[in-house]
Amino acid sequence: MMELRTQLRRAAAYFANREALVHGDRRFTFAEAWSRGVRLANALADAGLQPGDRVATLEKNSVEAVDIFLAAAIGNFVRVPLYARNRCESHDHMMRHTGCRVALVDEALLPEIAGLDSEVPGLDRLIVRDARYENWLAQASDIDPDPAIAPDDILVIRHTGGTTGAPKGVAYTHRSWMTICGGFQAVGPRPEPGATVLHVGPLSHASGFMFSPYWAIGGRNVMMEAFDPEGFLDILQREEVGYAFVAPTMLNAVVHHGNPHGHAFPKLKCLLSASAPISEATLRKSCEIFGDEVLHSAYGQTEILPVTSLGPREWFGRTEGSTPLQSVGRAMPFVDLEIRDADGRVLGPDEPGEIVARFENGQMQGFWNDPEETAQRMVDGWVKTGDVGRIDANGFLYLLDRANDLIVSGGYNIYPAEIENVIADHPLVIAAAVFGIPHEKWGETPLARVVVAPGTVISEQEITDLVSRRLGSFKKPGQVVFTTDPLPLSNVGKVLRSKLREPYWAGHASRISGA
């Protein structure tokens, strides 16, 4: 297996004069985009970065986001995406525990990271993409540095949450990244050479796995900086988009917006939706706008993906003994998938238990510098997802609950312990428990049950503002309930979040809500 750099470089030579990259009015050929990546790789080397060093990136979808995507592969640097909706504490943790030496930040996002260059040990330089960036890039050498790269060199470290709630690093080698990218291409219809893919979700997330496969076949990668329904529909039509990854909340926003201007999408082949369940109503209304042959689904997580897939004919079809519309599909051909009980015993059809999966070269080997958490999530080469589900007699997988109380709101993972720790810092708070409740727009939203002393005066706004400042607005509780009663505890002293959230899910067949 080649490494990603060689695949990208070959395509840049094969399709040198073909349009490769689009962001608004900015358009670049393969040769031009590749030259920018080479220059950035050399500029980072001039700044002291060595092959294997980690570089943090904080950005929106843009030409500049593609610069570092390419440069990391070209220079054999390890890209560590930071997430634009996070706040300073999360950025600080991600850079510290991966040992980032350089951070590359879009000017508009600088307030979310300002000051960390002097606080994070080992972070030598903070490079801001401002008005000076293009000149800085142009001054760098355009000669390919061509460092030695092996398939098992680390390419990217993405972050997810662990059972403690702290972000955990998942390292992808060139081998595993390319394997997962191949898995993503296998989910929907095979793209034709020159196909156009739209990145409406951030490259730092699942959409990033769709960049290099389309680059490799001479396709166009179109960047959308921020999602809005009308802008999304307009770009789909104007750029003749064939493929895109869309979060369920985006589809939900589009169906509520409708298609008032009658946009048409004759080139559209696949809208791949994952990261959270989708309600049946959203699915059916999406078909009215986009047609009934383009919606595809996948299930997976940062630790292993894709695990299952579902095409439109099967999704909306009839299978005796199954309800495909409520499922997340069947196991991909290269994935082993099982349901196990707490003792590790493999369960039979329709028996609920933890979802475990195995995908050679397409899963993590462990969490970055965290053997304890790795031991909790990996057993004999299998990844324990922390999700509770069942597999029916036809092989369809259904998500039922989350063993680790993970909340998925608008396609973003929210970990209760992280929010509870912040709320507990309030001087008037005795204890707090956070859990997910249904939300019409976001699928789920956090509810915080906050224990205070009798007579305490504290407002819901104080709590939500505290969480927003520390963790980002998307993690703030959608509702805060104050109580003087103690939280329910298990016999080993753990808060029983399931007992607290159960009344809010009365009447729901699943404890995971779709947008």
Side-chain angles (χ1 to χ4, degrees):
M1 175 179 285
M2 73 177 80
E3 27 69 30
L4 181 64
R5 182 271 314 269
T6 299
Q7 183 190 68
L8 296 174
R9 183 166 59 193
R10 287 179 180 176
Y14 292 153
F15 311 112
N17 297 318
R18 185 179 292 180
E19 191 169 84
L21 180 61
V22 176
H23 179 208
D25 294 331
R26 303 174 73 189
R27 295 172 185 270
F28 297 87
T29 65
F30 276 84
E32 291 167 339
W34 182 253
S35 176
R36 291 177 65 91
V38 169
R39 289 180 183 277
L40 181 55
N42 286 320
L44 290 173
D46 292 342
L49 217 59
Q50 301 290 325
D53 283 344
R54 271 76 71 193
V55 53
T57 65
L58 182 59
E59 63 218 356
K60 300 178 181 180
N61 283 354
S62 62
V63 171
E64 290 74 21
V66 174
D67 289 345
I68 185 57
F69 189 103
L70 297 174
I74 292 168
N76 199 17
F77 309 129
V78 180
R79 186 167 54 94
V80 181
L82 306 179
Y83 303 146
R85 296 186 69 179
N86 277 351
R87 289 297 181 266
C88 198
E89 287 187 4
S90 295
H91 301 323
D92 180 63
H93 170 78
M94 291 178 183
M95 289 191 290
R96 280 176 186 268
H97 101 283
T98 55
C100 289
R101 292 193 57 206
V102 171
L104 193 62
V105 184
D106 281 356
E107 184 177 25
L109 299 174
L110 182 59
E112 310 302 337
I113 202 172
L116 290 184
D117 53 324
S118 62
E119 297 180 12
V120 176
L123 187 64
D124 299 328
R125 186 168 178 184
L126 176 63
I127 300 171
V128 181
R129 295 192 188 104
D130 55 19
R132 298 166 293 179
Y133 174 77
E134 288 295 328
N135 185 56
W136 176 69
L137 195 66
Q139 291 179 357
S141 170
D142 64 352
I143 299 174
D144 193 327
D146 197 28
I149 304 177
D152 290 322
D153 286 348
I154 297 172
L155 175 69
V156 180
I157 302 175
R158 285 186 59 200
H159 281 81
T160 184
T163 57
T164 64
K168 306 296 178 184
V170 175
Y172 301 89
T173 64
H174 286 255
R175 185 191 306 275
S176 60
W177 181 270
M178 294 176 71
T179 301
I180 292 169
C181 288
F184 265 79
Q185 277 208 326
V187 169
R190 184 179 178 85
E192 67 278 7
T196 296
V197 58
L198 172 63
H199 298 280
V200 60
L203 285 181
S204 57
H205 288 64
S207 196
F209 290 111
M210 299 180 72
F211 182 92
S212 54
Y214 289 85
W215 173 286
I217 61 171
R220 294 192 313 154
N221 281 273
V222 179
M223 302 294 118
M224 186 172 181
E225 187 171 316
F227 170 80
D228 71 272
E230 186 62 30
F232 175 66
L233 296 173
D234 183 59
I235 290 178
L236 283 181
Q237 176 177 287
R238 184 178 71 249
E239 299 296 341
E240 298 185 325
V241 170
Y243 302 80
F245 179 93
V246 290
T249 48
M250 294 176 183
L251 284 180
N252 188 39
V254 170
V255 301
H256 281 85
H257 174 77
N259 188 10
H261 296 101
H263 287 95
F265 319 105
K267 296 293 184 69
L268 190 60
K269 305 292 185 187
C270 174
L271 288 178
L272 172 58
S273 190
S275 76
I278 312 174
S279 69
E280 183 174 338
T282 297
L283 284 172
R284 295 199 181 280
K285 290 178 182 177
S286 296
C287 288
E288 295 175 8
I289 296 174
F290 301 112
D292 57 9
E293 292 290 329
V294 302
L295 291 176
H296 293 256
S297 174
Y299 163 73
Q301 53 186 214
T302 305
E303 294 88 335
I304 178 170
L305 74 166
V307 174
T308 67
S309 66
L310 195 60
R313 295 189 181 182
E314 195 169 48
W315 210 352
F316 298 98
R318 293 177 178 270
T319 302
E320 187 176 352
S322 299
T323 52
L325 266 178
Q326 298 174 17
S327 82
V328 292
R330 295 193 252 207
M332 300 289 287
F334 37 75
V335 170
D336 289 324
L337 179 65
E338 294 179 350
I339 304 295
R340 296 182 183 177
D341 65 14
D343 297 321
R345 182 175 64 92
V346 179
L347 301 177
D350 291 318
E351 291 187 273
E354 183 173 12
I355 302 167
V356 298
R358 181 172 58 184
F359 175 13
E360 186 177 1
N361 296 326
Q363 65 182 51
M364 70 172 185
Q365 299 304 305
F367 290 112
W368 183 263
N369 289 339
D370 197 335
E372 182 177 343
E373 188 74 13
T374 297
Q376 294 293 319
R377 292 290 303 277
M378 295 198 71
V379 178
D380 297 330
W382 292 74
V383 175
K384 301 171 67 177
T385 67
D387 291 338
V388 176
R390 64 179 176 88
I391 300 175
D392 69 18
N394 294 310
F396 286 97
L397 174 66
Y398 303 83
L399 298 182
L400 302 177
D401 207 338
R402 294 186 177 89
N404 60 359
D405 295 312
L406 172 70
I407 302 166
V408 177
S409 183
Y412 286 85
N413 291 352
I414 298 175
Y415 299 90
E418 185 180 29
I419 302 175
E420 291 165 357
N421 290 338
V422 170
I423 295 175
D425 282 346
H426 193 289
L428 299 180
V429 169
I430 297 173
V434 174
F435 49 94
I437 63 172
H439 190 279
E440 182 178 355
K441 180 178 181 181
W442 302 116
E444 296 177 72
T445 191
L447 181 146
R449 188 173 179 88
V450 179
V451 180
V452 295
T456 299
V457 178
I458 182 173
S459 70
E460 181 173 352
Q461 191 68 43
E462 283 183 67
I463 298 298
T464 57
D465 285 349
L466 175 62
V467 175
S468 293
R469 287 195 306 271
R470 295 274 296 275
L471 300 177
S473 62
F474 80 104
K475 292 184 179 180
K476 70 181 180 183
Q479 185 177 344
V480 179
V481 176
F482 295 97
T483 181
T484 57
D485 296 328
L487 299 172
L489 303 176
S490 70
N491 57 4
V492 294
K494 292 186 177 181
V495 175
L496 296 173
R497 295 194 188 99
S498 59
K499 184 175 181 178
L500 291 170
R501 76 172 176 242
E502 194 60 28
Y504 295 90
W505 291 90
H508 290 255
S510 169
R511 295 302 181 264
I512 301 177
S513 179

